[in-house]
Amino acid sequence: MTPQEALQQVKDLTVALISVSLSNEQNFPSTYGNPNASFEITVGNAAAMTVALKNVPYEDIYQELSDAGCYNFKMLDGGLITLRYRFRDQKVCEHSLSYFPSPNLDQFQNEPELYLLEEIYADVVARNIVPFPIRFDFNDDAARFVEIHHFYSHLTLGQYENCRIPVSAPLTPLTFGGFILRNFYNTAFRKYSDDIPASAVSCAATITTAERGIPHVLLQA
């Protein structure tokens, strides 16, 4: 995946989510640098993302990110989706792809009959839902890599510091977007699947043979 392909995918995902009304608010990506050398695709106020690393209540993390507009998309239920990539010599060298669901779904759960009239809300009205953040990270720095313990590409669930589930390769923007939509907005995803583009490119595998021997996420080549 080249910088140009990644940037186009972020734009395509933005347009698609707007067109099917799954995104209430959105920010088109910001870019820095030279695509042929060092290049970054990020969001405005990206510095606010540091709050996600602090030992503070999740509600505070979510609210600070929301107030700062530090996201690509704010979904219909308030969930925040952020995509950030860095490239070196036309190859992805780092990414952080995150989903921060709204910690407060009372508006849906207290009056579910209002939202069930519109089937795309079906996945967010159940009272037993427990919102938790998800992040896919990738970094090609060999100095940070520790086989079996600190993977080049990994998935973190729920802000657990040592939760690192190995992922076979970096994710493209459309692959990540499809993962979030399919698993957390499935009713809407199935209804609008023809309008949500799929990724036609992929990234080279970074998982090792030893890491394939433990539970991991395998991306389609």
Side-chain angles (χ1 to χ4, degrees):
M1 177 179 67
T2 67
Q4 295 88 345
E5 289 169 335
L7 182 58
Q8 188 59 53
Q9 285 201 13
V10 176
K11 292 178 179 178
D12 290 345
L13 183 59
T14 303
V15 171
L17 293 181
I18 293 173
S19 68
V20 298
S21 300
L22 287 177
S23 173
N24 283 346
E25 299 177 27
Q26 51 281 321
N27 298 300
F28 279 86
S30 299
T31 61
Y32 301 94
N34 182 343
N36 295 314
S38 178
F39 189 67
E40 182 176 3
I41 302 171
T42 186
V43 293
N45 296 323
M49 287 298 296
T50 58
V51 69
L53 303 177
K54 297 179 181 178
N55 185 21
V56 298
Y58 176 62
E59 291 82 358
D60 294 346
I61 293 173
Y62 171 88
Q63 198 60 54
E64 185 166 334
L65 293 174
S66 179
D67 290 347
C70 188
Y71 52 80
N72 290 84
F73 320 109
K74 177 178 281 189
M75 302 297 281
L76 54 88
D77 61 337
L80 308 178
I81 296 177
T82 302
L83 306 97
R84 296 185 297 153
Y85 286 86
R86 288 182 56 242
F87 291 82
R88 185 191 312 113
D89 299 328
Q90 286 277 312
K91 294 182 179 180
V92 59
C93 61
E94 185 178 354
H95 74 47
S96 181
L97 314 173
S98 59
Y99 169 60
F100 290 91
S102 172
N104 184 1
L105 297 175
D106 288 348
Q107 61 176 323
F108 299 96
Q109 295 168 342
N110 289 342
E111 299 180 277
E113 64 280 358
L114 297 180
Y115 297 97
L116 287 174
L117 294 175
E118 176 54 71
E119 62 179 1
I120 64 173
Y121 289 93
D123 297 294
V124 296
V125 297
R127 291 184 179 275
N128 61 350
I129 290 176
V130 179
F132 63 96
I134 291 173
R135 193 178 72 249
F136 283 89
D137 288 326
F138 169 73
N139 194 307
D140 72 351
D141 186 353
R144 297 179 57 179
F145 170 73
V146 181
E147 190 172 48
I148 300 295
H149 298 291
H150 200 292
F151 317 100
Y152 283 115
S153 185
H154 65 268
L155 166 64
T156 297
L157 304 175
Q159 297 288 94
Y160 284 88
E161 181 179 359
N162 294 306
C163 175
R164 297 187 185 94
I165 302 167
V167 180
S168 62
L171 279 72
T172 69
L174 288 177
T175 298
F176 176 68
F179 174 87
I180 295 300
L181 293 174
R182 182 182 296 276
N183 290 288
F184 301 98
Y185 302 89
N186 185 261
T187 303
F189 177 79
R190 287 189 293 171
K191 180 177 181 179
Y192 298 119
S193 59
D194 291 342
D195 301 306
I196 307 297
S199 182
V201 298
S202 60
C203 299
T206 57
I207 193 169
T208 67
T209 299
E211 291 164 357
R212 292 183 185 275
I214 61 177
H216 62 278
V217 177
L218 177 63
L219 300 179
Q220 185 70 36

